[in-house]
């Protein structure tokens, strides 16, 4: 019994030390995304942000959003966010909410196109954060999973 317990503890330690499991299909591997962004609302539904800690999504974003429904203070929004990295671009079509009383926003959606080494990427991302309603500056987290073949 003690040998079984020691074996199970050893397996658990290896799994914990190895980090997140990445699923693979052919040359594709799936990567969990957990990044931070600092950005600016440029007006007219346009935003820009610097993304940090996003692995292969480390870079910048350009977003375009429109109000598609809702009523004050929470509006439904939809748009696109283009991630530009040293590996290429990744475009995500998102929909979600923006609260004009607090500046809180949340939007989720799938990858709709990609270029460069990110060509053929699939997956979904969520952007959540808070915008300063006076200055338009915002902070956000970007989470989700992206599957892509990053081999040379």
């Amino acid at each position: 019994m003690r040998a079984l317990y020691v074996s199970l503890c050893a397996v658990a330690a290896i799994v914990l030390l190895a980090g997140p499991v990445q699923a693979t299909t052919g040359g594709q591997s799936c990567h969990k995304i957990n990044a931070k962004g600092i950005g600016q609302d440029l007006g007219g539904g346009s935003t820009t942000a610097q993304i940090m800690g996003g692995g292969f999504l480390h870079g910048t974003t350009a977003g375009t959003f429109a109000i598609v429904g809702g009523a004050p203070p929470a509006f439904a929004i939809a748009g696109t966010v283009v991630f530009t990295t040293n590996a290429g671009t990744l475009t995500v079509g998102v929909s979600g909410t923006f609260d004009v009383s607090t500046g809180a926003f949340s939007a989720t959606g799938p990858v709709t196109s990609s270029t460069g080494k990110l060509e053929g990427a699939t997956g979904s991302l969520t952007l959540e954060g808070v915008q300063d309603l006076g200055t338009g500056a915002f902070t956000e987290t970007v989470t989700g999973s992206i599957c892509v073949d990053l081999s040379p």
Side-chain angles (χ1 to χ4, degrees), residues 35-88:
K36 302 290 182 200
I38 297 174
Q40 182 66 43
D41 183 335
L42 303 173
S46 296
T47 65
T48 186
Q50 180 71 41
I51 303 300
M52 299 151 291
F56 62 85
L57 288 186
H58 184 87
T60 61
T61 63
T64 305
F65 300 93
I67 294 174
V68 295
F75 289 98
I77 57 171
T80 59
V81 179
V82 178
F83 291 79
T84 301
T85 75
N86 62 3

Side-chain angles (χ1 to χ4, degrees), residues 125-143:
L125 294 175
T126 297
L127 294 84
E128 293 181 303
V130 177
Q131 178 177 317
D132 180 309
L133 298 172
T135 66
F138 63 87
T139 58
E140 65 186 342
T141 58
V142 180
T143 58

Side-chain angles (χ1 to χ4, degrees), residues 56-57 60-65 78-85 87-95 107-127 142 145-148:
F56 62 85
L57 288 186
T60 61
T61 63
T64 305
F65 300 93
T80 59
V81 179
V82 178
F83 291 79
T84 301
T85 75
T89 64
L90 185 82
T91 302
V92 179
V94 296
S95 61
T108 300
V111 172
T112 58
S113 66
S114 53
T115 66
K117 289 188 105 180
L118 302 176
E119 183 72 36
T122 60
S124 179
L125 294 175
T126 297
L127 294 84
V142 180
S145 181
I146 300 294
C147 300
V148 63

Side-chain angles (χ1 to χ4, degrees), residues 94-110:
V94 296
S95 61
T97 59
F98 179 65
D99 187 320
V100 296
S101 67
T102 65
F105 62 88
S106 179
T108 300

